[in-house]
Amino acid sequence: AAPAGRRDMAAWARAVRGLLLDVSGVLYDSGGDGGVPIAGSAEAVRRIKASGLKLRFCTNETQATREKFVKKLQGMGFDISVSEVTAPAPAACRILKERSLRPHLLVHNDLVPEFAEIDKSNPNCVVIGDAAENFTYANLNEAFRVLIGMEKPVLISLGRGRYYKETDGLKLDVGAYMKALEYACDVEAEVVGKPSKMFFESALAEMGVPPQQAIMIGDDIVNDVGGAQQCGMRALQVRTGKYRPCDENHPHVKPDAYVSNLAEAVDIILQQL
């Protein structure tokens, strides 16, 4: 049993029915070699599932289709299926269809199959994701020209992260390039993915759990923690992934708790059940 002090500290862990887990930086650190799992995280996922808590993997991953991404995680020992993943590309496809939008895609080559069913002829919007090596001047300029040529430019961004952690260090994320296009075209992007309220709400709906009974666990103080709290959820920050000590002095976002890693968070939550 936990010492009494720790039990009292964990008031945030009470009355939980569902967990939303960020993936990169919580389950594993990505990298050119496929990445490495974070110690204890695969076991923590198994324990969540065995406990009967509802679980959703909430990712802004846009460098691969969900199928490919899930296969990679299964190869690392994670119990995860495509149907448990809430990701930006399928959400963006729903919006494109609803609004009869035809996108010019500035995304990673491996993500393109997610948009197979979408009409991309004569584009009337731009969709930007974490294109990594595809963020060349020529490609950004092409997206800029599509936007600047429109009377009312529509820019849809699959997230707005500033950077993320790979095994060889921090990498610029989609948000930096989104801002460049916003500035050049004097347009405000519509963000699909964390920290968008709609994104978190669809994950909660998929679990059938109200926000007050859910906890988000992430490594991104603004997009994971701040975004979830704005939806009425509790949110924890793990000290793994792109976490930096300066996150603990963030001027606007205060997590409900800091935990060393996912395994520690799951320990505390399961003790409260």
Side-chain angles (χ1 to χ4, degrees), residues 23-29 36-42 76 78 240-241 261-262:
V23 176
S24 178
V26 174
L27 301 187
Y28 83 117
D29 284 322
V36 293
I38 292 167
S41 55
M76 291 182 191
F78 287 97
T240 55
N261 48 36
L262 177 61

Side-chain angles (χ1 to χ4, degrees), residues 65-136:
T65 60
R66 280 177 306 162
E67 282 72 14
K68 205 167 164 184
F69 168 64
V70 162
K71 212 175 201 144
K72 177 170 83 173
L73 287 166
Q74 288 169 340
M76 291 182 191
F78 287 97
D79 178 1
I80 179 173
S81 66
V82 173
S83 64
E84 297 171 311
V85 176
T86 303
C93 287
R94 279 200 299 275
I95 291 169
L96 294 168
K97 283 178 176 162
E98 280 164 16
R99 287 162 54 185
S100 306
L101 290 170
R102 300 179 305 278
H104 169 83
L105 298 176
L106 177 51
V107 299
H108 199 283
N109 293 345
D110 291 345
L111 191 72
V112 173
E114 289 269 19
F115 295 89
E117 311 279 289
I118 301 288
D119 178 6
K120 295 177 273 295
S121 61
N122 187 21
N124 58 2
C125 74
V126 167
V127 171
I128 184 174
D130 179 11
E133 314 303 324
N134 277 353
F135 280 133
T136 60

Side-chain angles (χ1 to χ4, degrees), residues 3 7 21 29 49 66-67 78 93 97 104 106 119 139 146 156 173-175 178 211 219 222 225 232:
R7 269 205 305 274
L21 304 185
D29 284 322
K49 291 196 166 182
R66 280 177 306 162
E67 282 72 14
F78 287 97
C93 287
K97 283 178 176 162
H104 169 83
L106 177 51
D119 178 6
N139 287 348
V146 171
I156 294 173
D173 201 353
V174 61
M178 174 195 95
D219 69 330
V222 174
V225 175

Side-chain angles (χ1 to χ4, degrees), residues 95-229:
I95 291 169
L96 294 168
K97 283 178 176 162
E98 280 164 16
R99 287 162 54 185
S100 306
L101 290 170
R102 300 179 305 278
H104 169 83
L105 298 176
L106 177 51
V107 299
H108 199 283
N109 293 345
D110 291 345
L111 191 72
V112 173
E114 289 269 19
F115 295 89
E117 311 279 289
I118 301 288
D119 178 6
K120 295 177 273 295
S121 61
N122 187 21
N124 58 2
C125 74
V126 167
V127 171
I128 184 174
D130 179 11
E133 314 303 324
N134 277 353
F135 280 133
T136 60
Y137 176 77
N139 287 348
L140 273 163
N141 201 49
E142 198 182 348
F144 159 74
R145 283 175 169 174
V146 171
L147 287 170
I148 206 77
M150 290 178 204
E151 203 179 321
K152 285 194 174 157
V154 177
L155 173 61
I156 294 173
S157 186
L158 307 179
R160 63 158 201 221
R162 292 173 175 171
Y163 54 86
Y164 54 91
K165 183 174 179 225
E166 288 205 334
T167 45
D168 63 349
L170 298 175
K171 302 280 168 94
L172 274 178
D173 201 353
V174 61
Y177 300 94
M178 174 195 95
K179 285 288 179 193
L181 290 174
E182 282 187 332
Y183 178 63
C185 303
D186 195 18
V187 60
E188 194 175 327
E190 299 175 41
V191 178
V192 181
K194 298 175 292 189
S196 130
K197 202 164 181 183
M198 195 175 83
F199 189 72
F200 283 115
E201 284 169 352
S202 68
L204 288 166
E206 282 153 2
M207 288 198 298
V209 171
Q212 303 76 9
Q213 298 182 334
I215 294 180
M216 172 75 201
I217 302 174
D219 69 330
D220 186 318
I221 184 84
V222 174
N223 294 315
D224 294 335
V225 175
Q229 287 177 334

Side-chain angles (χ1 to χ4, degrees), residues 11-57:
W12 54 263
R14 295 195 185 121
V16 179
R17 282 180 49 221
L19 296 180
L20 289 79
L21 304 185
D22 175 34
V23 176
S24 178
V26 174
L27 301 187
Y28 83 117
D29 284 322
S30 58
D33 48 359
V36 293
I38 292 167
S41 55
E43 176 59 23
V45 169
R46 277 196 291 277
R47 291 179 64 204
I48 293 166
K49 291 196 166 182
S51 74
L53 286 171
K54 297 278 182 70
L55 177 62
R56 205 77 207 149
F57 299 93

